[in-house]
């Protein structure tokens, strides 16, 4: 059996499928015939064709109704096939082929579906060729998943929203060797601190910039690792104890005309005295490789506690 239309949960997506008139078997035969005529490829990967056809219908449904035709859907499907034949692999295609090794890279994906479950939400995201699900189970109030679920409830994340994502992780049981099989059995764990909305004009897939800016005001104690901060050093202090304890107090450099008046401050526990000695109060820095301080979850109002990781870099931003 071949199911092309029953994936569509939302009303708009279900209605657009009615534009492609014909019995399911008739449409299936026409797709396969067109596939062979245009690609001269006698091998039919049924799972791949079903997935690509469904994604093509969803994509075309975002345009005028006149664009949504069987011919255009097949054209999209064949175009993706030719791009892959030329070695132009998509971001998620690479993630699935390498079983998750690329998942932490900075990418932009689009939301194709938001499904409310009994215990949370399920997002489906696409890079234009493949889809991946992200499960958001909301058991407790202060969790990474609940922070993202709140964005969904506030309508900040919805169908066709583009998202910057970094430091994600691929999870699941990879019960198959093909990319489609991995896709069906995997899901993406997205950290709140590695997530932000992208402009509609942003190209999907892997991004040239390997980092993602996240403002201090939008960080959460429960949101996981932070890729990059653009901050101003307000003060620093050290404790004369065994091993030493070095702290730096930053504020977001882009949050206001006068950054020193920012409401949220970041207190970073530095790893060693060398980092402490290199930074100066009043200067602006890019800070890479920090994460939330798990031992200080009972945070004071207006302060988020962070600690450096093994990959931490603090780079001064020279004034132009």
């Amino acid at each position: 059996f071949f199911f092309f239309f029953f994936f569509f949960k939302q009303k708009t997506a279900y209605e657009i499928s009615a534009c492609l008139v014909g019995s399911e078997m008739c449409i299936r035969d026409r797709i396969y015939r067109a596939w062979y005529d245009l690609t001269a490829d006698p091998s039919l990967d049924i799972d791949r064709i079903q997935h690509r056809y469904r994604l093509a219908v969803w994509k075309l449904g975002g345009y005028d109704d006149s664009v949504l035709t069987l011919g255009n859907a097949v054209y999209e499907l064949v175009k993706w096939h030719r791009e892959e034949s030329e070695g132009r692999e998509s971001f998620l295609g690479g993630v699935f082929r390498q079983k998750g090794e690329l998942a932490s890279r900075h990418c932009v994906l689009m939301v194709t579906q938001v499904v409310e479950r009994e215990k949370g939400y399920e997002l489906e995201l696409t890079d234009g060729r493949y889809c991946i699900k992200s499960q958001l189970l909301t058991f407790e109030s202060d969790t990474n998943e609940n922070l993202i679920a709140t964005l969904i409830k506030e309508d900040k994340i919805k169908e066709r929203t583009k998202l910057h994502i970094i430091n994600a992780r691929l999870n699941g049981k990879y019960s198959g060797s093909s990319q489609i099989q991995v896709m069906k059995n995997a899901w993406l764990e997205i950290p709140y601190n590695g997530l932000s909305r992208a402009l509609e004009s942003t190209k999907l897939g892997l991004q040239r910039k390997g980092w993602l800016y996240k403002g201090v005001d939008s960080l959460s104690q429960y949101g996981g690792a932070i890729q990059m901060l653009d901050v101003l050093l307000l003060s620093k202090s050290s404790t004369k104890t065994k091993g030493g304890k070095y702290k730096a107090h930053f504020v977001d450099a882009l949050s206001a005309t006068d950054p020193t008046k920012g409401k949220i401050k970041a207190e970073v526990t530095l790893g060693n005295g060398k980092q402490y000695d290199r930074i100066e109060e009043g200067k602006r820095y890019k800070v890479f490789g920090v994460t939330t301080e798990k031992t200080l979850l009972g945070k004071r109002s207006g302060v988020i506690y962070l600690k450096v990781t093994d990959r931490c870099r603090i780079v001064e931003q020279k004034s132009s």
Side-chain angles (χ1 to χ4, degrees):
F1 294 95
F2 303 92
F3 300 94
F4 291 109
F5 306 121
F6 298 114
F7 293 100
F8 298 99
K9 302 296 183 183
Q10 283 126 343
K11 183 178 179 181
T12 53
Y14 177 81
E15 287 177 343
I16 63 175
S17 66
C19 299
L20 303 182
V21 181
S23 70
E24 193 171 304
M25 183 175 294
C26 177
I27 292 174
R28 181 199 68 187
D29 292 341
R30 290 172 64 187
I31 292 170
Y32 291 170
R33 193 182 307 117
W35 174 267
Y36 181 77
D37 290 344
L38 293 171
T39 66
D41 184 358
S43 62
L44 294 175
D45 186 335
I46 305 304
D47 285 345
R48 185 183 294 268
I49 293 175
Q50 285 182 346
H51 168 70
R52 293 290 174 80
Y53 179 72
R54 172 209 169 212
L55 192 56
V57 171
W58 180 86
K59 176 183 175 181
L60 295 171
Y63 299 102
D64 185 82
D65 288 346
S66 61
V67 177
L68 185 57
T69 65
L70 183 60
N72 284 341
V74 172
Y75 172 78
E76 289 290 328
L77 193 145
V78 172
K79 181 179 72 173
W80 292 330
H81 171 75
R82 287 177 175 170
E83 288 177 352
E84 285 190 343
S85 299
E86 295 169 359
R88 289 184 279 170
E89 186 175 57
S90 72
F91 171 70
L92 286 179
V95 170
F96 298 144
R97 179 173 55 80
Q98 298 186 33
K99 305 297 191 296
E101 290 185 18
L102 297 174
S104 63
R105 303 277 294 276
H106 180 198
C107 67
V108 171
L109 303 177
M110 180 182 281
V111 179
T112 58
Q113 199 172 48
V114 180
V115 180
E116 187 171 2
R117 302 295 188 191
E118 183 180 351
K119 296 180 180 180
Y121 291 91
E122 184 177 274
L123 284 180
E124 185 184 66
L125 306 162
T126 183
D127 65 351
R129 291 193 202 167
Y130 291 93
C131 293
I132 182 71
K133 292 181 180 178
S134 180
Q135 299 173 346
L136 306 173
L137 302 179
T138 54
F139 292 112
E140 303 172 11
S141 57
D142 294 323
T143 63
N144 180 77
E145 289 80 5
N146 241 324
L147 292 166
I148 300 176
T150 299
L151 298 177
I152 296 173
K153 293 174 184 177
E154 295 174 350
D155 219 26
K156 293 179 180 178
I157 294 180
K158 54 188 177 180
E159 187 178 340
R160 299 192 185 276
T161 300
K162 288 185 176 181
L163 300 172
H164 284 283
I165 299 173
I166 200 166
N167 290 333
R169 185 172 64 175
L170 193 69
N171 250 322
K173 297 180 180 179
Y174 309 134
S175 58
S177 56
S178 75
Q179 292 164 311
I180 293 293
Q181 288 174 317
V182 173
M183 179 192 74
K184 287 183 175 181
N185 295 285
W187 68 89
L188 201 63
E189 286 188 3
I190 304 172
Y192 175 82
N193 288 338
L195 175 71
S196 69
R197 288 188 295 176
L199 297 174
E200 290 184 10
S201 58
T202 307
K203 188 176 180 180
L204 296 177
L206 188 66
Q207 301 299 294
R208 289 185 178 180
K209 290 183 178 178
W211 47 267
L212 172 64
Y213 163 72
K214 188 82 172 180
V216 173
D217 291 358
S218 61
L219 295 177
S220 170
Q221 198 77 43
Y222 308 93
I226 299 120
Q227 220 283 328
M228 193 276 280
L229 297 175
D230 185 348
V231 290
L232 188 74
L233 178 63
L234 292 180
S235 62
K236 63 179 186 176
S237 60
S238 63
T239 305
K240 300 296 182 180
T241 59
K242 185 178 180 180
K245 197 165 187 179
Y246 306 94
K247 294 186 180 295
H249 297 85
F250 295 100
V251 70
D252 196 289
L254 303 177
S255 61
T257 306
D258 184 357
T260 59
K261 295 181 179 179
K263 295 181 180 179
I264 305 294
K265 295 179 176 59
E267 180 181 288
V268 181
T269 301
L270 300 174
N272 53 61
K274 291 182 180 180
Q275 292 173 325
Y276 180 85
D277 292 337
R278 283 203 336 261
I279 57 178
E280 297 180 26
E281 295 179 5
K283 289 191 175 182
R284 183 175 173 182
Y285 296 91
K286 282 185 179 179
V287 182
F288 300 87
V290 293
T291 187
T292 52
E293 179 62 79
K294 299 297 184 182
T295 61
L296 294 170
L297 294 182
K299 63 177 182 177
R300 301 196 307 269
S301 176
V303 178
I304 182 167
Y305 297 100
L306 307 173
K307 64 180 178 179
V308 300
T309 67
D310 294 338
R311 299 181 179 181
C312 177
R313 288 189 298 123
I314 302 177
V315 181
E316 181 182 351
Q317 296 197 59
K318 304 293 184 180
S319 56
S320 55

